[in-house]
Amino acid sequence: KRLYIDIILFAVLAAVLATNLYKILGKKAISEDAISSENNNNIEEEKKIFSNEIMDYSRKQVIDLDKDFSFTVFLDGAKSAFTLIVNAYKNKKIQDVKELLDSNVYDNFKESINKIVDKEEEIKTFQILSLQSSIANIEVIEKLVKIKVEFISLQEKTLENDTKTSKEIKDIWVFEREMDSESLIWKLIEVSSK
């Protein structure tokens, strides 16, 4: 009987994760009218989400693969994924976001967590106080798209002894997706910090 309860709990957890992932990653625009009105309003906003190195050609390649693709929606999803993944990492529950991670990234996070457990005092609370992001690079190889995103976050942690520390961290993450895939999930395939 205990086995059935565990299976049901895992199924519910999987359903909740899948729903949240669908909501935050790669959601497509609803209609052409919404896209055209958004395009007029988002010209200034789009200038802010791309670094200077991003070529119009790279952006056009992505749009050619998916005419409904929105870089603004992608970046919002990437910020949500960043928050989910960093919180899972800091709380040592990286398995909760395994579906968002490439297997190598997942293994590296798990290994890193195991090393931290031995060295660091337990974190009582953790939060991301602010988060900015921009698209640093786009690479298109046939139908495979890799988007490099630069995140600048202000992170605060409180240790068990109530010591608070805040730190601004710059991360570079690369997300990847086959654009003809049924799945809308962008996998995190590379992580680096500065």
Side-chain angles (χ1 to χ4, degrees):
K1 230 177 182 183
R2 174 78 175 140
L3 179 65
Y4 293 120
I5 293 172
D6 289 345
I7 291 172
I8 291 170
L9 286 175
F10 284 124
V12 168
L13 179 61
V16 168
L17 277 174
T19 303
N20 285 338
L21 292 174
Y22 176 75
K23 288 179 182 177
I24 63 173
L25 290 176
K27 202 183 254 188
K28 293 185 178 184
I30 296 172
S31 72
E32 293 297 324
D33 293 336
I35 291 171
S36 63
S37 66
E38 277 183 24
N39 284 344
N40 294 336
N41 295 333
N42 289 338
I43 291 172
E44 284 300 313
E45 189 174 323
E46 278 201 7
K47 288 180 184 175
K48 295 176 187 174
I49 68 172
F50 293 103
S51 69
N52 295 334
E53 293 80 34
I54 300 296
M55 304 296 275
D56 288 336
Y57 178 72
S58 298
R59 294 190 292 199
K60 185 180 178 323
Q61 283 182 296
V62 175
I63 299 300
D64 286 346
L65 290 172
D66 181 354
K67 65 178 174 52
D68 295 328
F69 188 81
S70 166
F71 287 101
T72 304
V73 171
F74 168 81
L75 204 53
D76 288 343
K79 287 168 74 172
S80 295
F82 178 88
T83 302
L84 280 172
I85 293 167
V86 170
N87 278 309
Y89 174 80
K90 293 293 186 177
N91 291 312
K92 300 176 184 80
K93 295 181 179 182
I94 200 65
Q95 67 278 2
D96 291 351
V97 292
K98 188 175 183 177
E99 293 83 15
L100 296 175
L101 308 173
D102 173 75
S103 61
N104 291 331
V105 172
Y106 176 76
D107 292 342
N108 289 337
F109 275 143
K110 283 200 61 106
E111 184 179 316
S112 177
I113 288 170
N114 292 336
K115 287 179 183 176
I116 290 172
V117 168
D118 297 336
K119 295 179 183 175
E120 191 176 274
E121 186 175 344
E122 287 293 314
I123 295 175
K124 186 176 179 181
T125 61
F126 172 81
Q127 61 181 346
I128 297 173
L129 300 176
S130 67
L131 178 60
Q132 299 172 347
S133 61
S134 65
I135 295 175
N137 191 25
I138 300 170
E139 182 180 354
V140 179
I141 305 166
E142 294 182 14
K143 293 185 184 263
L144 178 71
V145 176
K146 296 180 182 183
I147 301 179
K148 184 183 285 190
V149 180
E150 179 181 282
F151 296 100
I152 300 173
S153 61
L154 180 60
Q155 301 178 10
E156 179 183 82
K157 66 181 175 181
T158 305
L159 302 177
E160 287 294 332
N161 66 7
D162 290 328
T163 303
K164 277 189 179 185
T165 58
S166 296
K167 188 175 184 181
E168 184 173 276
I169 300 174
K170 182 177 179 180
D171 288 292
I172 308 291
W173 287 16
V174 179
F175 295 92
E176 173 183 274
R177 179 172 171 254
E178 287 282 349
M179 297 304 279
D180 60 350
S181 169
E182 291 292 320
S183 173
L184 296 177
I185 296 174
W186 288 79
K187 289 266 187 183
L188 177 62
I189 62 164
E190 189 178 317
V191 175
S192 63
S193 292
K194 292 185 178 180

